[in-house]
Amino acid sequence: MKLDTIIAVKDIQKSAEWYQSLLGCKSEGLHIVTLLDDESEVILCLHKWGEHDHPTMKNSDIVPGNGLILYVRTHDLQKIRNNAQQMDHQVEQEIELNPNSQKKEFALRDPDGYYLIISEYHDYGR
């Protein structure tokens, strides 16, 4: 089983370009954009607010991502942090050691306000 997370965004192409610049991923699609890693595994799906009549994606006036953290585990933490700096994108929490995972991580918000934590790669429970 695999969960593909879909988030609603105001400007699907702008969001896709932002994620591609930050994470160095590729994308597919026009109406629903799928962000893919180097092995073509789905990272995240982007969906325009109000399209296709999904009940949780109708009202773009609500606070996006309430109760949601997009948690990205990567082998390229410093590269992604450098990408955020080159994009002149504000970081909410600089790189620091997470006492629970014992891995370095930093946090920022995407253009729609979704909260992302970028963490050094680790397997859960190991």
Side-chain angles (χ1 to χ4, degrees), residues 4 9-10 17 20-21 23 27 29 32 35 38 48 53 62 76 79 84-85 90 110 112 114 116 120:
D4 290 340
V9 298
K10 292 179 182 168
E17 290 169 9
Q20 287 173 310
S21 295
L23 301 177
S27 70
I32 296 176
L35 302 171
D38 291 338
K48 185 167 177 48
D53 206 32
I62 63 171
D76 296 320
K79 180 180 178 185
Q85 183 173 357
Q90 180 179 352
D110 80 355
D112 288 275
Y114 291 99
L116 284 84
E120 289 179 307

Side-chain angles (χ1 to χ4, degrees), residues 17-24 80 83-84 87 108 116 118:
E17 290 169 9
W18 186 86
Y19 277 98
Q20 287 173 310
S21 295
L22 180 71
L23 301 177
I80 293 173
N83 290 347
M87 295 162 62
L108 69 166
L116 284 84
I118 312 297

Side-chain angles (χ1 to χ4, degrees), residues 69-126:
I69 295 174
L70 298 173
Y71 189 77
V72 179
R73 295 174 295 143
T74 180
H75 295 290
D76 296 320
L77 178 78
Q78 191 59 56
K79 180 180 178 185
I80 293 173
R81 177 60 188 94
N82 292 345
N83 290 347
Q85 183 173 357
Q86 288 175 353
M87 295 162 62
D88 198 29
H89 195 81
Q90 180 179 352
V91 170
E92 292 202 10
Q93 178 184 338
E94 283 295 343
I95 295 174
E96 63 183 34
L97 185 67
N98 179 316
N100 297 317
S101 67
Q102 292 297 304
K103 298 295 180 184
K104 293 180 184 177
E105 63 184 34
F106 73 98
L108 69 166
R109 290 188 185 267
D110 80 355
D112 288 275
Y114 291 99
Y115 191 77
L116 284 84
I117 295 176
I118 312 297
S119 172
E120 289 179 307
Y121 191 87
H122 61 279
D123 290 321
Y124 289 100
R126 295 182 188 172

